[in-house]
């Protein structure tokens, strides 16, 4: 091979590399992202924020914030504050510019970081448009958030954790309210008419679904109509101490760690009376 041919080969080789290297780099970068950028349509964003009942008191975090449109809408429409995280540097820069243009740069910020390495304990609302596998990886961490935190997702669910609300406006939108932990035994003291009652209750819990049974006046008693939403628990038991004067007891209370406090309505209509109740974890025997 003469000198001319050798040089020609090198130039051809470099030309081929210059075509394929950027494509290979782009592919590598794409593989690194857990989800590609696909923006949520504005009508779906409105539904997500409506479901989450966003207010100016909320701190909204968008996990994989794309071009920033979810948070910018939350700030513009509802006065919320918040932060978006995305791995894509260009999208983060675009989001910051759009927030400034929309006049909400004081309320929302965007950072280039991995959502799996992001602390989202400050959020009162989390918005997501991710993929099923990513949602499943996030699920255990989402479940540990402060009870009452609202999670909204465009299109994808959280496996066997059923949403509290599902709506469909062009796309599926899901809302979950992080439930407090109530499973296990409780000892209730309720200031009901007659003598103070000690009621034992054993609750079972699967995410926000709760049922249970207990002992009232020393006898087996069923727990009916249990509902759990964030830290708010309600259920019904029947006061059958006096068979001629039975009445349903409608318990409503707020869970705060190992204490539940609230009020219980005994009976209905003009026979209704209202009393305080408090439940604690019984001492371990
Ligand atoms: C489907 S888009 C959603 C964008 C925006 N939330 C919306 O609803 O319009 C998903 C975004 O997640 C980002 N992303 C993917 N993997 C990520 C990760 N591990 N950490 C942070 N962002 C990520 C992508 O760059 C992309 O912008």
């Amino acid at each position: 091979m003469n000198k001319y041919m050798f040089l020609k080969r090198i130039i051809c080789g470099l030309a081929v590399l210059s075509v394929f290297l950027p494509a290979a780099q782009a592919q590598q970068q794409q593989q690194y992202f857990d989800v590609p950028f696909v923006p949520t349509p504005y009508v779906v964003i409105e539904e997500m924020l409506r479901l989450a009942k966003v207010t100016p008191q909320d701190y909204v975090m968008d996990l994989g914030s794309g071009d920033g449109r979810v948070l910018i809408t939350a700030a513009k429409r509802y006065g919320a504050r918040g932060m978006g995280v995305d791995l894509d540097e260009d999208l983060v820069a675009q989001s910051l510019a759009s927030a400034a243009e929309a006049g909400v740069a004081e309320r929302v910020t965007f950072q280039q970081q991995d959502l799996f390495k992001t602390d989202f304990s400050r959020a009162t609302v989390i918005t997501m448009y991710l993929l099923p596998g990513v949602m499943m990886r996030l699920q255990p961490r989402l479940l540990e958030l402060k009870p009452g935190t609202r999670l909204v997702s465009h299109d994808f669910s959280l496996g066997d954790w059923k949403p509290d609300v599902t709506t469909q406006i062009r796309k599926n939108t899901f809302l979950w309210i992080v439930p407090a932990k109530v499973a296990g035994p409780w000892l209730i003291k309720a200031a009901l008419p007659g003598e103070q009652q000690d009621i034992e209750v054993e609750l079972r819990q699967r995410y926000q679904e709760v049922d249970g049974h207990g002992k009232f006046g020393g006898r087996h008693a069923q727990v009916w109509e249990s509902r759990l939403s964030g830290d708010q628990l309600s259920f019904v038991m029947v006061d059958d101490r006096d068979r001629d004067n039975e009445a349903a007891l409608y318990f409503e209370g707020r869970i705060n760690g190992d204490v539940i406090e609230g009020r219980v309505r005994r009976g209905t209509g003009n026979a209704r009376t209202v009393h305080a109740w408090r439940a604690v974890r019984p001492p371990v025997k």
Side-chain angles (χ1 to χ4, degrees):
M1 190 168 26
N2 64 26
K3 203 166 140 194
Y4 171 73
M5 290 273 287
F6 179 71
L7 266 177
K8 200 173 157 191
R9 278 203 178 171
I10 288 191
I11 291 166
C12 279
L14 284 175
V16 168
L17 267 183
S18 72
V19 170
F20 284 107
L21 258 184
Q25 274 170 346
Q27 197 184 5
Q28 215 173 29
Q29 198 178 28
Q30 245 177 13
Q31 279 167 353
Y32 176 58
F33 286 19
D34 296 284
V35 189
F37 172 53
V38 181
T40 297
Y42 280 101
V43 76
V44 178
I45 294 177
E46 297 210 8
E47 182 59 2
M48 292 167 80
L49 301 175
R50 185 191 73 83
L51 274 191
K53 297 194 171 97
V54 173
T55 73
Q57 279 67 51
D58 278 312
Y59 192 82
V60 183
M61 288 186 75
D62 190 24
L63 306 183
S65 47
D67 62 4
R69 57 177 62 201
V70 177
L71 277 187
I72 293 170
T73 307
K76 263 170 57 180
R77 290 274 162 90
Y78 297 95
R81 297 184 175 277
M83 179 169 99
V85 295
D86 203 291
L87 282 179
D88 188 314
E89 188 181 1
D90 294 340
L91 286 173
V92 170
Q94 186 184 335
S95 303
L96 289 168
S98 303
E101 201 179 314
V104 294
E106 297 285 295
R107 309 194 75 79
V108 292
T109 186
F110 297 90
Q111 284 185 13
Q112 186 195 2
Q113 66 188 53
D114 187 344
L115 64 91
F116 287 106
K117 294 182 183 144
T118 299
D119 173 9
F120 34 80
S121 56
R122 185 180 169 193
T124 55
V125 174
I126 290 189
T127 55
M128 295 165 284
Y129 182 24
L130 301 168
L131 286 172
V134 177
M135 296 289 281
M136 286 317 296
R137 279 169 69 195
L138 280 175
Q139 200 234 50
R141 284 184 62 202
L142 296 173
L143 196 56
E144 290 308 312
L145 287 170
K146 189 170 175 290
T149 306
R150 288 100 77 207
L151 318 172
V152 269
S153 168
H154 166 193
D155 236 1
F156 297 109
S157 67
L158 280 171
D160 62 351
W161 181 2
K162 286 190 203 149
D164 291 83
V165 183
T166 303
T167 60
Q168 270 188 324
I169 297 177
R170 285 206 191 135
K171 305 288 286 295
N172 281 328
T173 311
F174 303 108
L175 167 77
W176 296 263
I177 299 171
V178 175
K181 295 189 172 39
V182 284
W186 292 92
L187 187 60
I188 300 175
K189 288 193 187 296
L192 294 173
E195 57 197 86
Q196 158 119 353
Q197 287 301 306
D198 283 357
I199 307 166
E200 292 169 35
V201 166
E202 176 82 30
L203 295 179
R204 291 189 313 174
Q205 176 175 18
R206 186 170 162 73
Y207 304 111
Q208 70 274 46
E209 290 171 346
V210 174
D211 63 13
H213 59 89
K215 266 190 182 170
F216 191 106
R219 286 197 303 281
H220 175 267
Q222 188 65 36
V223 171
W224 306 97
E225 295 294 327
S226 342
R227 304 260 185 283
L228 175 62
S229 178
D231 61 1
Q232 302 295 316
L233 176 71
S234 64
F235 59 90
V236 180
M237 294 179 85
V238 176
D239 179 356
D240 60 358
R241 287 171 294 167
D242 173 0
R243 292 281 172 159
D244 296 330
N245 185 25
E246 286 187 344
L249 297 170
Y250 299 89
F251 287 88
E252 284 173 0
R254 181 169 174 266
I255 305 146
N256 186 2
D258 284 343
V259 175
I260 312 175
E261 276 178 310
R263 51 182 217 146
V264 48
R265 287 176 289 121
R266 186 185 189 281
T268 56
N270 58 14
R272 184 176 87 162
T273 55
V274 182
H275 316 273
W277 68 284
R278 187 172 198 271
V280 293
R281 299 283 188 185
V284 183
K285 287 175 191 159

